[in-house]
Amino acid sequence: MRIGVYIEPWISQRAGISVFTEHLTRSTENSPNTYITIGSKQMDVPNEHILIPKWKASQLNLLRYLGLAKIDLTDHRLDYIIDPGHFACLDLFKGPSRVVIVHDLTPLLFPKYHKIKSVIAHRLLMNRSLKMCEKIITVSENTKEDVIKHYGHSSKLSRIYPGVRDLSQVEEDAFEEKSDAPFILSVGTIEPRKNHKKLIEAFEAFCIHNHTDFLYIVGDEGWKVSINELIASSSNGARIKYLGYVSKPRLKQLYSRALFSIYISLYEGFGFPLLESMKMGCPVISSNVGSMKEISDEAAILVNPNAKDEIAQSMLRLSSDEDLRRTLIVAGIEQGRKFQWTNYIKELDAILVE
């Protein structure tokens, strides 16, 4: 089979779907099928590439939704095209059947956490996207259940757990932090659903009993939250450092040196930083909601993401109990091994030949 992968989310973003698209594409090399990338720029992968105009790839291009800017892929003899971002290439191509990857329905389930344009786009396009595709693949059972509950389509739904990037092979640079003080790590885009406000409140309660540890926050600036304002208003702001978006070598350093990571999102369709931390041998505190309980499988400490004192107590426990950290490191590494991109491609290939 010849399968197209629409890589525009990788080209134009840096968050979760971008990482997913990149690693999906890089993992197709050993498939018996031929995977071809499609987008406005050829990325550094050896796949055959179909170059398309940037303006046509834009989700703001209303002409494509009116059927006036379709790109005919018939001559490329593609059996399927993978749409890695819900409706990223909806109404863009003529020819192959679409396979839609659904990561979560949070813009629909929790609209107050998202930009209004994202909420409107999901309300207008998600149902149409799922109706018009051949197959739907979700990244977790939790997301699969959400899709069935809100849209149905159970007959064309499958769940495949994605792989998680392995930062252990990334070459390290010199560690940049001048302080040797122990620190807790939080990784995730700065937006309301990631729950940074509650994290900082819990860290303040933690600091009443712990006088040494810092909190490092990593992630692109997103929407509806000013992380710098949250830090400035904290009574322990001097012990909180916002590092912004960091490179893979830098992130590897942070995971490898952190006491533990904390990922108390209010809801996730999957939760890549959780498993990424486990793979790097960094113990994890996470949320007991959404998919996080599903994918951690008892290899993390799970807390109510709205309960400040419960979060703080778990932070205190993990910061002071070296044996517990060792136990979680072993369990986390074992859990992380279950999420491999080679397995994802094998399962994806099997579904596409059905």
Short mmCIF file of all heavy atoms in Angstrom, two decimals, residues 128-190:
data_model
loop_
_atom_site.label_atom_id
_atom_site.label_comp_id
_atom_site.label_asym_id
_atom_site.label_seq_id
_atom_site.Cartn_x
_atom_site.Cartn_y
_atom_site.Cartn_z
N ARG A 128 -17.95 16.68 11.01
CA ARG A 128 -17.80 16.51 9.56
C ARG A 128 -16.56 15.67 9.24
O ARG A 128 -16.59 14.78 8.39
CB ARG A 128 -17.70 17.88 8.90
CG ARG A 128 -17.42 17.85 7.39
CD ARG A 128 -17.42 19.27 6.85
NE ARG A 128 -16.91 19.33 5.49
CZ ARG A 128 -17.61 19.05 4.41
NH1 ARG A 128 -18.88 18.69 4.54
NH2 ARG A 128 -17.07 19.13 3.21
N SER A 129 -15.48 15.94 9.94
CA SER A 129 -14.23 15.21 9.71
C SER A 129 -14.41 13.72 9.98
O SER A 129 -13.96 12.87 9.20
CB SER A 129 -13.12 15.77 10.60
OG SER A 129 -11.91 15.07 10.40
N LEU A 130 -15.07 13.38 11.08
CA LEU A 130 -15.25 11.98 11.46
C LEU A 130 -16.23 11.27 10.52
O LEU A 130 -16.06 10.09 10.21
CB LEU A 130 -15.71 11.88 12.91
CG LEU A 130 -14.74 12.43 13.96
CD1 LEU A 130 -15.29 12.21 15.36
CD2 LEU A 130 -13.36 11.84 13.81
N LYS A 131 -17.25 11.99 10.07
CA LYS A 131 -18.20 11.40 9.14
C LYS A 131 -17.56 11.08 7.80
O LYS A 131 -17.87 10.07 7.16
CB LYS A 131 -19.39 12.34 8.92
CG LYS A 131 -20.44 12.31 10.02
CD LYS A 131 -21.60 13.21 9.65
CE LYS A 131 -22.71 13.13 10.70
NZ LYS A 131 -23.86 14.01 10.35
N MET A 132 -16.65 11.95 7.35
CA MET A 132 -16.11 11.85 6.00
C MET A 132 -14.86 10.97 5.91
O MET A 132 -14.34 10.76 4.82
CB MET A 132 -15.78 13.24 5.46
CG MET A 132 -17.00 14.11 5.23
SD MET A 132 -16.58 15.75 4.58
CE MET A 132 -15.86 15.29 3.00
N CYS A 133 -14.37 10.47 7.03
CA CYS A 133 -13.15 9.65 6.98
C CYS A 133 -13.51 8.17 6.90
O CYS A 133 -14.62 7.76 7.20
CB CYS A 133 -12.26 9.93 8.17
SG CYS A 133 -12.88 9.28 9.74
N GLU A 134 -12.52 7.37 6.52
CA GLU A 134 -12.69 5.92 6.40
C GLU A 134 -12.50 5.22 7.74
O GLU A 134 -13.21 4.29 8.09
CB GLU A 134 -11.69 5.37 5.38
CG GLU A 134 -11.79 3.87 5.14
CD GLU A 134 -12.99 3.48 4.30
OE1 GLU A 134 -13.58 4.36 3.64
OE2 GLU A 134 -13.34 2.29 4.32
N LYS A 135 -11.49 5.68 8.49
CA LYS A 135 -11.16 5.06 9.78
C LYS A 135 -10.78 6.15 10.77
O LYS A 135 -10.27 7.22 10.40
CB LYS A 135 -9.99 4.08 9.62
CG LYS A 135 -10.28 2.90 8.69
CD LYS A 135 -9.04 2.02 8.51
CE LYS A 135 -9.28 0.92 7.47
NZ LYS A 135 -10.24 -0.09 7.93
N ILE A 136 -11.03 5.86 12.06
CA ILE A 136 -10.69 6.77 13.15
C ILE A 136 -9.79 6.02 14.13
O ILE A 136 -10.11 4.90 14.54
CB ILE A 136 -11.94 7.27 13.90
CG1 ILE A 136 -12.94 7.91 12.95
CG2 ILE A 136 -11.55 8.24 15.01
CD1 ILE A 136 -14.32 8.12 13.57
N ILE A 137 -8.69 6.64 14.50
CA ILE A 137 -7.78 6.03 15.47
C ILE A 137 -7.59 6.99 16.63
O ILE A 137 -7.28 8.17 16.43
CB ILE A 137 -6.43 5.70 14.82
CG1 ILE A 137 -6.62 4.65 13.72
CG2 ILE A 137 -5.42 5.21 15.85
CD1 ILE A 137 -5.42 4.39 12.89
N THR A 138 -7.80 6.51 17.83
CA THR A 138 -7.58 7.32 19.03
C THR A 138 -6.30 6.88 19.72
O THR A 138 -5.80 5.78 19.51
CB THR A 138 -8.76 7.22 20.01
OG1 THR A 138 -8.83 5.88 20.54
CG2 THR A 138 -10.08 7.56 19.34
N VAL A 139 -5.79 7.76 20.59
CA VAL A 139 -4.51 7.50 21.25
C VAL A 139 -4.69 6.84 22.62
O VAL A 139 -3.69 6.48 23.27
CB VAL A 139 -3.69 8.79 21.40
CG1 VAL A 139 -3.32 9.35 20.04
CG2 VAL A 139 -4.45 9.83 22.23
N SER A 140 -5.92 6.68 23.07
CA SER A 140 -6.18 6.05 24.37
C SER A 140 -7.60 5.52 24.40
O SER A 140 -8.45 5.92 23.59
CB SER A 140 -5.97 7.05 25.52
OG SER A 140 -6.94 8.09 25.46
N GLU A 141 -7.87 4.62 25.33
CA GLU A 141 -9.23 4.14 25.53
C GLU A 141 -10.13 5.28 26.01
O GLU A 141 -11.31 5.36 25.66
CB GLU A 141 -9.26 3.00 26.55
CG GLU A 141 -8.65 1.70 26.05
CD GLU A 141 -9.46 1.06 24.94
OE1 GLU A 141 -10.68 1.33 24.85
OE2 GLU A 141 -8.87 0.30 24.14
N ASN A 142 -9.57 6.16 26.80
CA ASN A 142 -10.33 7.30 27.32
C ASN A 142 -10.85 8.17 26.17
O ASN A 142 -12.03 8.54 26.13
CB ASN A 142 -9.43 8.13 28.24
CG ASN A 142 -10.17 9.29 28.88
OD1 ASN A 142 -10.92 9.12 29.83
ND2 ASN A 142 -9.96 10.48 28.36
N THR A 143 -9.99 8.48 25.22
CA THR A 143 -10.41 9.27 24.06
C THR A 143 -11.38 8.49 23.18
O THR A 143 -12.34 9.05 22.64
CB THR A 143 -9.19 9.74 23.26
OG1 THR A 143 -8.38 10.59 24.08
CG2 THR A 143 -9.60 10.51 22.02
N LYS A 144 -11.15 7.20 23.05
CA LYS A 144 -12.08 6.37 22.26
C LYS A 144 -13.48 6.43 22.85
O LYS A 144 -14.48 6.60 22.12
CB LYS A 144 -11.58 4.93 22.24
CG LYS A 144 -12.43 3.99 21.40
CD LYS A 144 -11.84 2.58 21.39
CE LYS A 144 -12.71 1.62 20.59
NZ LYS A 144 -12.15 0.24 20.58
N GLU A 145 -13.58 6.33 24.16
CA GLU A 145 -14.88 6.40 24.82
C GLU A 145 -15.52 7.78 24.63
O GLU A 145 -16.75 7.89 24.44
CB GLU A 145 -14.73 6.08 26.31
CG GLU A 145 -14.37 4.61 26.57
CD GLU A 145 -13.95 4.37 28.01
OE1 GLU A 145 -14.05 5.32 28.83
OE2 GLU A 145 -13.51 3.24 28.31
N ASP A 146 -14.70 8.84 24.67
CA ASP A 146 -15.23 10.19 24.45
C ASP A 146 -15.81 10.32 23.04
O ASP A 146 -16.88 10.92 22.86
CB ASP A 146 -14.11 11.23 24.65
CG ASP A 146 -13.80 11.49 26.12
OD1 ASP A 146 -14.62 11.11 26.98
OD2 ASP A 146 -12.73 12.07 26.40
N VAL A 147 -15.08 9.78 22.05
CA VAL A 147 -15.56 9.88 20.66
C VAL A 147 -16.87 9.13 20.49
O VAL A 147 -17.83 9.62 19.88
CB VAL A 147 -14.49 9.36 19.68
CG1 VAL A 147 -15.06 9.27 18.26
CG2 VAL A 147 -13.26 10.26 19.69
N ILE A 148 -16.94 7.92 21.04
CA ILE A 148 -18.17 7.12 20.92
C ILE A 148 -19.34 7.83 21.60
O ILE A 148 -20.45 7.90 21.06
CB ILE A 148 -17.96 5.72 21.51
CG1 ILE A 148 -16.98 4.92 20.63
CG2 ILE A 148 -19.29 4.97 21.61
CD1 ILE A 148 -16.57 3.60 21.24
N LYS A 149 -19.08 8.38 22.77
CA LYS A 149 -20.14 9.05 23.53
C LYS A 149 -20.69 10.26 22.78
O LYS A 149 -21.91 10.49 22.75
CB LYS A 149 -19.60 9.49 24.89
CG LYS A 149 -20.61 10.24 25.75
CD LYS A 149 -20.02 10.63 27.10
CE LYS A 149 -21.01 11.42 27.93
NZ LYS A 149 -20.42 11.82 29.24
N HIS A 150 -19.82 11.03 22.14
CA HIS A 150 -20.25 12.30 21.54
C HIS A 150 -20.57 12.19 20.05
O HIS A 150 -21.35 12.99 19.53
CB HIS A 150 -19.18 13.37 21.77
CG HIS A 150 -19.06 13.79 23.20
ND1 HIS A 150 -19.84 14.75 23.77
CD2 HIS A 150 -18.26 13.32 24.20
CE1 HIS A 150 -19.53 14.90 25.05
NE2 HIS A 150 -18.57 14.04 25.33
N TYR A 151 -19.97 11.19 19.37
CA TYR A 151 -20.15 11.12 17.92
C TYR A 151 -20.57 9.75 17.40
O TYR A 151 -21.01 9.63 16.26
CB TYR A 151 -18.86 11.53 17.20
CG TYR A 151 -18.47 12.96 17.43
CD1 TYR A 151 -17.38 13.28 18.24
CD2 TYR A 151 -19.18 14.01 16.86
CE1 TYR A 151 -17.02 14.60 18.47
CE2 TYR A 151 -18.83 15.33 17.08
CZ TYR A 151 -17.74 15.61 17.89
OH TYR A 151 -17.39 16.91 18.12
N GLY A 152 -20.38 8.72 18.19
CA GLY A 152 -20.64 7.37 17.69
C GLY A 152 -19.47 6.86 16.87
O GLY A 152 -18.33 6.92 17.32
N HIS A 153 -19.76 6.33 15.67
CA HIS A 153 -18.73 5.84 14.74
C HIS A 153 -17.93 4.66 15.30
O HIS A 153 -16.78 4.45 14.91
CB HIS A 153 -17.75 6.95 14.34
CG HIS A 153 -18.38 8.15 13.71
ND1 HIS A 153 -19.12 8.06 12.55
CD2 HIS A 153 -18.39 9.46 14.09
CE1 HIS A 153 -19.54 9.28 12.24
NE2 HIS A 153 -19.13 10.13 13.15
N SER A 154 -18.51 3.90 16.20
CA SER A 154 -17.76 2.82 16.83
C SER A 154 -17.26 1.79 15.82
O SER A 154 -16.22 1.15 16.03
CB SER A 154 -18.61 2.12 17.90
OG SER A 154 -19.80 1.61 17.34
N SER A 155 -17.97 1.63 14.69
CA SER A 155 -17.59 0.61 13.71
C SER A 155 -16.27 0.93 13.01
O SER A 155 -15.61 0.04 12.49
CB SER A 155 -18.69 0.43 12.68
OG SER A 155 -18.90 1.63 11.95
N LYS A 156 -15.89 2.20 12.97
CA LYS A 156 -14.62 2.52 12.31
C LYS A 156 -13.57 3.07 13.28
O LYS A 156 -12.59 3.67 12.88
CB LYS A 156 -14.85 3.51 11.16
CG LYS A 156 -15.57 4.80 11.50
CD LYS A 156 -15.77 5.63 10.20
CE LYS A 156 -16.56 6.89 10.44
NZ LYS A 156 -16.77 7.66 9.19
N LEU A 157 -13.79 2.80 14.56
CA LEU A 157 -12.88 3.28 15.61
C LEU A 157 -11.90 2.20 16.06
O LEU A 157 -12.28 1.05 16.27
CB LEU A 157 -13.69 3.73 16.82
CG LEU A 157 -13.91 5.23 17.03
CD1 LEU A 157 -14.91 5.44 18.16
CD2 LEU A 157 -12.60 5.92 17.37
N SER A 158 -10.64 2.58 16.23
CA SER A 158 -9.62 1.72 16.82
C SER A 158 -8.78 2.56 17.77
O SER A 158 -8.63 3.77 17.58
CB SER A 158 -8.72 1.10 15.75
OG SER A 158 -9.46 0.34 14.83
N ARG A 159 -8.23 1.92 18.76
CA ARG A 159 -7.29 2.59 19.66
C ARG A 159 -5.89 2.01 19.45
O ARG A 159 -5.69 0.81 19.49
CB ARG A 159 -7.72 2.39 21.11
CG ARG A 159 -6.86 3.17 22.14
CD ARG A 159 -5.63 2.41 22.59
NE ARG A 159 -5.99 1.17 23.27
CZ ARG A 159 -5.21 0.10 23.26
NH1 ARG A 159 -4.08 0.07 22.58
NH2 ARG A 159 -5.59 -1.00 23.91
N ILE A 160 -4.93 2.88 19.20
CA ILE A 160 -3.52 2.47 19.17
C ILE A 160 -2.75 3.41 20.09
O ILE A 160 -2.77 4.63 19.89
CB ILE A 160 -2.90 2.54 17.76
CG1 ILE A 160 -3.78 1.86 16.72
CG2 ILE A 160 -1.52 1.90 17.77
CD1 ILE A 160 -3.23 1.97 15.30
N TYR A 161 -2.06 2.85 21.07
CA TYR A 161 -1.21 3.69 21.91
C TYR A 161 0.01 4.15 21.12
O TYR A 161 0.73 3.33 20.54
CB TYR A 161 -0.72 2.92 23.13
CG TYR A 161 -1.79 2.65 24.17
CD1 TYR A 161 -2.00 1.36 24.65
CD2 TYR A 161 -2.55 3.68 24.69
CE1 TYR A 161 -2.97 1.10 25.61
CE2 TYR A 161 -3.53 3.44 25.66
CZ TYR A 161 -3.73 2.15 26.11
OH TYR A 161 -4.69 1.90 27.05
N PRO A 162 0.27 5.44 21.06
CA PRO A 162 1.46 5.92 20.34
C PRO A 162 2.73 5.59 21.11
O PRO A 162 2.71 5.29 22.30
CB PRO A 162 1.24 7.42 20.26
CG PRO A 162 0.34 7.74 21.40
CD PRO A 162 -0.53 6.54 21.61
N GLY A 163 3.83 5.70 20.41
CA GLY A 163 5.12 5.60 21.08
C GLY A 163 5.43 6.91 21.78
O GLY A 163 4.75 7.92 21.61
N VAL A 164 6.45 6.88 22.58
CA VAL A 164 6.91 8.07 23.28
C VAL A 164 8.38 8.26 22.94
O VAL A 164 9.16 7.30 22.97
CB VAL A 164 6.74 7.92 24.81
CG1 VAL A 164 7.26 9.16 25.53
CG2 VAL A 164 5.26 7.71 25.15
N ARG A 165 8.75 9.47 22.55
CA ARG A 165 10.13 9.69 22.12
C ARG A 165 11.11 9.35 23.23
O ARG A 165 10.85 9.55 24.42
CB ARG A 165 10.33 11.13 21.65
CG ARG A 165 10.11 12.18 22.73
CD ARG A 165 10.27 13.58 22.17
NE ARG A 165 9.99 14.59 23.20
CZ ARG A 165 10.04 15.90 22.98
NH1 ARG A 165 10.35 16.35 21.78
NH2 ARG A 165 9.78 16.75 23.96
N ASP A 166 12.23 8.79 22.85
CA ASP A 166 13.27 8.37 23.78
C ASP A 166 14.39 9.40 23.75
O ASP A 166 15.17 9.46 22.80
CB ASP A 166 13.79 6.98 23.38
CG ASP A 166 14.78 6.43 24.39
OD1 ASP A 166 15.08 7.13 25.38
OD2 ASP A 166 15.26 5.30 24.19
N LEU A 167 14.46 10.21 24.79
CA LEU A 167 15.47 11.26 24.85
C LEU A 167 16.83 10.75 25.31
O LEU A 167 17.80 11.49 25.27
CB LEU A 167 15.00 12.37 25.78
CG LEU A 167 13.75 13.14 25.35
CD1 LEU A 167 13.31 14.09 26.45
CD2 LEU A 167 13.99 13.91 24.07
N SER A 168 16.90 9.47 25.72
CA SER A 168 18.15 8.96 26.28
C SER A 168 19.28 8.94 25.25
O SER A 168 20.46 8.97 25.61
CB SER A 168 17.94 7.55 26.85
OG SER A 168 17.58 6.64 25.82
N GLN A 169 18.92 8.88 23.96
CA GLN A 169 19.93 8.84 22.90
C GLN A 169 20.35 10.23 22.43
O GLN A 169 21.26 10.36 21.60
CB GLN A 169 19.41 8.03 21.71
CG GLN A 169 18.97 6.62 22.05
CD GLN A 169 20.06 5.80 22.70
OE1 GLN A 169 21.19 5.77 22.24
NE2 GLN A 169 19.72 5.13 23.80
N VAL A 170 19.69 11.26 22.94
CA VAL A 170 20.02 12.63 22.54
C VAL A 170 21.34 13.04 23.18
O VAL A 170 21.57 12.82 24.37
CB VAL A 170 18.91 13.60 22.97
CG1 VAL A 170 19.30 15.04 22.67
CG2 VAL A 170 17.61 13.25 22.26
N GLU A 171 22.22 13.65 22.39
CA GLU A 171 23.52 14.09 22.90
C GLU A 171 23.32 15.31 23.79
O GLU A 171 22.67 16.29 23.42
CB GLU A 171 24.45 14.43 21.74
CG GLU A 171 25.86 14.76 22.18
CD GLU A 171 26.80 14.98 21.01
OE1 GLU A 171 26.44 14.57 19.88
OE2 GLU A 171 27.88 15.56 21.22
N GLU A 172 23.89 15.26 24.98
CA GLU A 172 23.71 16.34 25.95
C GLU A 172 24.69 17.48 25.70
O GLU A 172 25.81 17.27 25.25
CB GLU A 172 23.92 15.82 27.38
CG GLU A 172 22.75 15.05 27.94
CD GLU A 172 22.86 14.86 29.44
OE1 GLU A 172 23.39 15.77 30.11
OE2 GLU A 172 22.42 13.82 29.94
N ASP A 173 24.24 18.69 26.02
CA ASP A 173 25.14 19.83 26.11
C ASP A 173 25.53 19.99 27.59
O ASP A 173 25.05 19.25 28.45
CB ASP A 173 24.43 21.10 25.63
CG ASP A 173 24.03 21.00 24.16
OD1 ASP A 173 24.77 20.36 23.41
OD2 ASP A 173 22.98 21.56 23.80
N ALA A 174 26.38 20.95 27.85
CA ALA A 174 26.72 21.24 29.25
C ALA A 174 25.47 21.71 29.98
O ALA A 174 24.66 22.46 29.43
CB ALA A 174 27.80 22.30 29.32
N PHE A 175 25.31 21.27 31.24
CA PHE A 175 24.12 21.65 31.99
C PHE A 175 24.16 23.15 32.28
O PHE A 175 25.16 23.69 32.72
CB PHE A 175 24.06 20.86 33.31
CG PHE A 175 22.73 20.96 34.00
CD1 PHE A 175 21.62 20.38 33.45
CD2 PHE A 175 22.61 21.63 35.20
CE1 PHE A 175 20.38 20.45 34.07
CE2 PHE A 175 21.38 21.70 35.84
CZ PHE A 175 20.27 21.12 35.27
N GLU A 176 23.06 23.83 32.00
CA GLU A 176 23.06 25.29 31.99
C GLU A 176 22.83 25.92 33.36
O GLU A 176 23.21 27.06 33.59
CB GLU A 176 21.99 25.80 31.01
CG GLU A 176 22.29 25.42 29.57
CD GLU A 176 21.22 25.92 28.62
OE1 GLU A 176 20.42 26.79 29.04
OE2 GLU A 176 21.19 25.46 27.48
N GLU A 177 22.13 25.21 34.25
CA GLU A 177 21.79 25.83 35.53
C GLU A 177 23.04 25.98 36.41
O GLU A 177 23.80 25.02 36.59
CB GLU A 177 20.74 25.00 36.26
CG GLU A 177 19.38 25.03 35.59
CD GLU A 177 18.84 26.43 35.40
OE1 GLU A 177 19.03 27.26 36.30
OE2 GLU A 177 18.26 26.70 34.36
N LYS A 178 23.24 27.15 36.97
CA LYS A 178 24.40 27.39 37.83
C LYS A 178 24.18 26.84 39.23
O LYS A 178 25.13 26.49 39.92
CB LYS A 178 24.68 28.89 37.89
CG LYS A 178 25.07 29.47 36.53
CD LYS A 178 25.32 30.96 36.62
CE LYS A 178 25.70 31.52 35.26
NZ LYS A 178 25.93 32.99 35.30
N SER A 179 22.93 26.75 39.66
CA SER A 179 22.62 26.26 41.00
C SER A 179 22.58 24.73 41.01
O SER A 179 22.12 24.10 40.06
CB SER A 179 21.27 26.80 41.46
OG SER A 179 20.88 26.19 42.66
N ASP A 180 23.07 24.14 42.08
CA ASP A 180 22.99 22.69 42.27
C ASP A 180 21.82 22.30 43.17
O ASP A 180 21.72 21.16 43.60
CB ASP A 180 24.30 22.16 42.88
CG ASP A 180 25.47 22.24 41.90
OD1 ASP A 180 25.23 22.05 40.70
OD2 ASP A 180 26.60 22.49 42.35
N ALA A 181 20.94 23.24 43.47
CA ALA A 181 19.81 22.97 44.34
C ALA A 181 18.89 21.94 43.70
O ALA A 181 18.70 21.94 42.48
CB ALA A 181 19.05 24.25 44.64
N PRO A 182 18.32 21.01 44.49
CA PRO A 182 17.39 20.03 43.93
C PRO A 182 16.15 20.73 43.37
O PRO A 182 15.74 21.79 43.86
CB PRO A 182 17.04 19.14 45.13
CG PRO A 182 17.36 19.97 46.33
CD PRO A 182 18.48 20.87 45.94
N PHE A 183 15.55 20.12 42.34
CA PHE A 183 14.38 20.75 41.73
C PHE A 183 13.36 19.72 41.29
O PHE A 183 13.67 18.55 41.02
CB PHE A 183 14.79 21.66 40.56
CG PHE A 183 15.39 20.93 39.39
CD1 PHE A 183 14.61 20.44 38.35
CD2 PHE A 183 16.77 20.76 39.31
CE1 PHE A 183 15.16 19.78 37.27
CE2 PHE A 183 17.35 20.10 38.23
CZ PHE A 183 16.54 19.61 37.20
N ILE A 184 12.12 20.19 41.21
CA ILE A 184 10.98 19.44 40.70
C ILE A 184 10.71 19.99 39.30
O ILE A 184 10.84 21.20 39.07
CB ILE A 184 9.76 19.65 41.62
CG1 ILE A 184 10.07 19.13 43.03
CG2 ILE A 184 8.52 18.98 41.05
CD1 ILE A 184 9.18 19.75 44.10
N LEU A 185 10.31 19.15 38.38
CA LEU A 185 10.14 19.56 36.99
C LEU A 185 8.69 19.45 36.56
O LEU A 185 8.03 18.45 36.81
CB LEU A 185 11.01 18.68 36.09
CG LEU A 185 10.98 18.97 34.58
CD1 LEU A 185 11.53 20.36 34.28
CD2 LEU A 185 11.77 17.90 33.83
N SER A 186 8.20 20.47 35.86
CA SER A 186 6.88 20.44 35.24
C SER A 186 7.04 20.75 33.76
O SER A 186 7.65 21.76 33.40
CB SER A 186 5.96 21.48 35.89
OG SER A 186 4.76 21.63 35.17
N VAL A 187 6.50 19.87 32.89
CA VAL A 187 6.63 20.04 31.44
C VAL A 187 5.25 20.09 30.82
O VAL A 187 4.43 19.20 31.04
CB VAL A 187 7.45 18.88 30.82
CG1 VAL A 187 7.53 19.04 29.29
CG2 VAL A 187 8.85 18.82 31.42
N GLY A 188 4.98 21.11 30.02
CA GLY A 188 3.69 21.21 29.33
C GLY A 188 3.43 22.63 28.88
O GLY A 188 3.88 23.60 29.51
N THR A 189 2.74 22.79 27.77
CA THR A 189 2.38 24.10 27.25
C THR A 189 1.64 24.91 28.32
O THR A 189 0.83 24.37 29.08
CB THR A 189 1.48 23.96 26.01
OG1 THR A 189 2.17 23.19 25.03
CG2 THR A 189 1.13 25.32 25.42
N ILE A 190 1.93 26.19 28.38
CA ILE A 190 1.31 27.05 29.38
C ILE A 190 -0.11 27.41 28.93
O ILE A 190 -0.31 28.32 28.11
CB ILE A 190 2.14 28.32 29.63
CG1 ILE A 190 3.61 27.98 29.87
CG2 ILE A 190 1.56 29.10 30.80
CD1 ILE A 190 3.86 27.02 31.03
#
